[in-house]
Coordinates of all heavy atoms in Angstrom, one line a residue:
Chain F
I181 N -37.7 5.8 -11.9 CA -38.2 4.5 -12.3 C -39.1 4.0 -11.1 O -38.6 4.0 -10.0 CB -37.1 3.5 -12.6 CG1 -36.2 4.0 -13.7 CG2 -37.7 2.1 -12.9 CD1 -34.8 4.1 -13.3
F182 N -40.3 3.7 -11.4 CA -41.2 3.2 -10.3 C -41.3 1.7 -10.5 O -41.6 1.2 -11.5 CB -42.5 3.9 -10.4 CG -42.5 5.3 -10.1 CD1 -42.2 6.3 -11.0 CD2 -42.7 5.7 -8.7 CE1 -42.1 7.6 -10.7 CE2 -42.7 7.1 -8.4 CZ -42.4 8.0 -9.4
V183 N -40.9 1.0 -9.4 CA -41.0 -0.5 -9.5 C -41.7 -1.0 -8.2 O -41.8 -0.3 -7.2 CB -39.6 -1.1 -9.5 CG1 -38.9 -0.7 -10.8 CG2 -38.8 -0.7 -8.3
P184 N -42.2 -2.2 -8.3 CA -42.8 -2.8 -7.1 C -41.8 -2.9 -6.0 O -40.6 -3.0 -6.2 CB -43.2 -4.2 -7.5 CG -43.3 -4.1 -9.0 CD -42.3 -3.1 -9.4
K185 N -42.2 -2.7 -4.7 CA -41.3 -2.6 -3.6 C -40.3 -3.7 -3.5 O -39.1 -3.5 -3.2 CB -42.1 -2.5 -2.3 CG -42.3 -1.1 -1.9 CD -42.7 -0.8 -0.5 CE -42.8 0.7 -0.3 NZ -43.8 1.1 0.7
G186 N -40.7 -5.0 -3.8 CA -39.8 -6.1 -3.6 C -38.7 -6.1 -4.8 O -37.7 -6.8 -4.6
K187 N -38.9 -5.4 -5.8 CA -38.0 -5.5 -7.0 C -36.9 -4.5 -7.0 O -36.2 -4.4 -8.0 CB -38.9 -5.3 -8.3 CG -40.0 -6.4 -8.4 CD -39.5 -7.5 -9.3 CE -40.6 -8.5 -9.5 NZ -40.2 -9.6 -10.3
K188 N -36.8 -3.7 -5.9 CA -35.8 -2.6 -6.0 C -34.4 -3.0 -6.3 O -33.7 -2.6 -7.1 CB -35.9 -1.8 -4.7 CG -35.0 -0.5 -4.8 CD -35.1 0.4 -3.6 CE -34.1 1.6 -3.9 NZ -34.0 2.5 -2.8
E189 N -34.0 -4.1 -5.5 CA -32.6 -4.6 -5.6 C -32.3 -5.0 -7.0 O -31.3 -4.7 -7.6 CB -32.4 -5.8 -4.7 CG -32.6 -5.5 -3.2 CD -31.4 -4.8 -2.6 OE1 -30.4 -5.4 -2.6 OE2 -31.6 -3.7 -2.1
E190 N -33.3 -5.8 -7.5 CA -33.2 -6.4 -8.9 C -33.0 -5.2 -9.9 O -32.1 -5.2 -10.7 CB -34.4 -7.2 -9.1 CG -34.3 -8.2 -10.2 CD -35.6 -8.9 -10.4 OE1 -36.3 -9.2 -9.4 OE2 -35.9 -9.2 -11.6
A191 N -33.9 -4.2 -9.8 CA -33.9 -3.1 -10.7 C -32.5 -2.4 -10.6 O -32.0 -2.0 -11.6 CB -35.0 -2.2 -10.4
M192 N -32.1 -2.2 -9.4 CA -30.8 -1.5 -9.2 C -29.7 -2.2 -9.9 O -28.9 -1.6 -10.6 CB -30.5 -1.4 -7.7 CG -31.3 -0.5 -6.9 SD -31.1 1.3 -7.3 CE -29.7 1.6 -6.3
S193 N -29.6 -3.5 -9.8 CA -28.5 -4.2 -10.4 C -28.6 -4.2 -11.9 O -27.6 -4.1 -12.6 CB -28.4 -5.6 -9.8 OG -29.6 -6.3 -10.1
A194 N -29.9 -4.2 -12.4 CA -30.1 -4.1 -13.8 C -29.7 -2.8 -14.3 O -29.1 -2.6 -15.4 CB -31.6 -4.4 -14.1
L195 N -29.9 -1.7 -13.5 CA -29.6 -0.4 -13.9 C -28.1 -0.1 -14.0 O -27.7 0.9 -14.7 CB -30.3 0.6 -13.0 CG -31.8 0.9 -13.2 CD1 -32.3 1.6 -12.1 CD2 -32.0 1.6 -14.5
S196 N -27.3 -0.9 -13.3 CA -25.9 -0.6 -13.3 C -25.3 -0.7 -14.7 O -24.3 -0.1 -15.0 CB -25.2 -1.6 -12.4 OG -25.3 -2.9 -12.8
A197 N -26.0 -1.4 -15.6 CA -25.6 -1.5 -17.0 C -25.6 -0.1 -17.7 O -24.8 0.1 -18.6 CB -26.5 -2.4 -17.8
V198 N -26.4 0.8 -17.2 CA -26.4 2.1 -17.9 C -25.7 3.2 -17.0 O -26.0 4.4 -17.1 CB -27.8 2.6 -18.2 CG1 -28.4 1.8 -19.4 CG2 -28.8 2.5 -17.0
G199 N -24.9 2.7 -16.1 CA -24.1 3.6 -15.3 C -25.0 4.5 -14.3 O -24.8 5.6 -14.1
F200 N -26.0 3.8 -13.8 CA -26.9 4.5 -12.9 C -26.3 4.9 -11.6 O -25.5 4.1 -11.0 CB -28.1 3.5 -12.6 CG -29.2 4.1 -11.8 CD1 -30.1 5.0 -12.3 CD2 -29.2 3.8 -10.4 CE1 -31.1 5.5 -11.5 CE2 -30.2 4.4 -9.6 CZ -31.1 5.2 -10.2
S201 N -26.5 6.1 -11.2 CA -26.1 6.5 -9.8 C -27.3 7.2 -9.1 O -27.8 8.1 -9.6 CB -24.9 7.4 -9.8 OG -25.2 8.7 -10.3

Side-chain angles (χ1 to χ4, degrees):
Chain F
I181 302 123
F182 292 87
V183 294
K185 267 196 175 148
K187 299 264 184 182
K188 186 174 177 185
E189 300 279 303
E190 203 181 323
M192 290 289 278
S193 57
L195 279 168
S196 61
V198 288
F200 181 80
S201 70

